[in-house]
Amino acid sequence: MTVLQLRGVHRVHGSGETAVHALRGIDLTVAPGELVAVMGSSGSGKSTLLTLAGGLDAPTRGEVLVEGRALAGMNRAQLAELRRRSIGYVFQNFNLLPSLTAAENIALPLELDGLPVRRARRLALDALARVELTDLAARFPDQMSGGQQQRVAIARALVGQRRLVLADEPTGALDSQTAETVLRLLRRQIDDGAAGVLVTHEARHAGWADRVVFLRDGVVVDSTGSSRAEDLLEVTP
Ligand code: ADP
Ligand code: MG
């Protein structure tokens, strides 16, 4: 079964003269154990694609299905539940809540989902151990480096049984070594059976994916295995 499916997806932002046709007929499927990288210049529609995949936004035409269920057929509560339980989202700017510790940030979606506080905390600590940050459980975001914050954000996106992990330039603000660590963690979760979409500017990072999709002006212009993507981009100045 596919985890994520986009069928003929269009998204127009705004209307009339100022309308922006951000996506123009996207078809994409991502299977369990598969990581797809999305590349393309700024404004090509990468973030729009990801927000639609995560149910944070809806297409103006076409369909998005997660685990075989059409998002358009869900009410707000069902969509919110799907986002909390099945979808992990990593943003470029981490999006941690500043007033919560690392462990609390990770436990929050679980608690919102009705898990007892102690169980949520145990799962949060497990997730922190996976990103090798056990020692920082009680730190607040402003007491951590950018790399540490992003690893907490990754842990939050992976905690519980997330089936779909969506990462929008998660390494944009990180040095190359920390970026590699973050990508290795993402890859491991995918290898454990989740499906993932990674938006990235860097061919080297796309090398962690099984497949690379290139967007231009809201259209998929090419789709390749990741090794070929690296070759393609290496010759590009
Ligand atoms: P990327 O992530 O590849 O840089 P985006 O998906 O953010 O691209 O944007 C695609 C196009 O849609 C751009 O032209 C952008 O200006 C436009 N866009 C994105 N979000 C909005 C919005 N909320 N309202 C109006 N236009 C938007
Ligand atoms: Mg973007």
Side-chain angles (χ1 to χ4, degrees):
M1 199 191 33
T2 61
V3 178
L4 173 66
Q5 205 169 358
L6 274 68
R7 290 188 190 149
V9 164
H10 289 250
R11 177 65 168 106
V12 181
H13 293 295
S15 60
E17 298 231 320
T18 57
V20 178
H21 208 147
L23 295 177
R24 306 165 183 259
I26 301 288
D27 294 302
L28 178 70
T29 52
V30 190
E34 188 178 35
L35 179 62
V36 174
V38 176
M39 303 192 74
S41 56
S42 181
S44 59
K46 306 180 298 295
S47 293
T48 300
L49 189 159
L50 221 60
T51 57
L52 293 172
L56 297 168
D57 185 20
T60 36
R61 184 142 56 95
E63 268 199 310
V64 179
L65 297 94
V66 174
E67 301 191 287
R69 296 160 69 202
L71 301 191
M74 295 184 190
N75 62 33
R76 268 168 173 271
Q78 289 170 324
L79 199 55
E81 182 185 310
L82 180 83
R83 286 204 305 258
R84 277 198 312 272
R85 288 200 182 157
S86 301
I87 302 175
Y89 217 113
V90 187
F91 300 89
Q92 177 162 11
N93 55 1
F94 321 141
N95 271 31
L96 298 177
L97 294 174
S99 60
L100 299 183
T101 64
E104 288 165 350
N105 261 286
I106 298 166
L108 183 65
L110 302 173
E111 287 178 36
L112 289 175
D113 214 24
L115 248 64
V117 171
R118 284 180 58 190
R119 174 147 173 72
R121 182 167 174 84
R122 192 162 347 111
L123 288 172
L125 293 176
D126 287 348
L128 267 178
R130 268 188 274 160
V131 299
E132 293 164 27
L133 285 183
T134 300
D135 294 348
L136 304 191
R139 294 256 184 109
F140 291 93
D142 67 2
Q143 299 170 323
M144 293 183 281
S145 71
Q148 289 166 343
Q149 289 182 55
Q150 192 58 307
R151 280 151 72 190
V152 172
I154 293 262
R156 182 183 55 184
L158 305 185
V159 74
Q161 295 293 314
R162 303 310 163 106
R163 305 275 298 127
L164 177 61
V165 181
L166 304 169
D168 196 351
E169 306 194 37
T171 55
L174 306 178
D175 65 75
S176 63
Q177 197 179 337
T178 312
E180 292 290 315
T181 306
V182 163
L183 292 168
R184 191 173 309 113
L185 290 166
L186 180 62
R187 183 70 242 185
R188 195 193 299 163
Q189 180 77 5
I190 305 301
D191 289 339
D192 286 345
V197 181
L198 165 71
V199 169
T200 180
H201 268 114
E202 298 203 40
R204 199 154 42 85
H205 294 172
W208 287 86
D210 302 295
R211 198 146 58 83
V212 185
V213 164
F214 295 89
L215 280 187
R216 187 186 299 143
D217 297 333
V219 179
V220 174
V221 290
D222 199 3
S223 183
T224 73
S226 60
S227 55
R228 188 175 149 228
E230 276 185 282
D231 295 345
L232 277 180
L233 283 141
E234 257 163 33
V235 297
T236 311

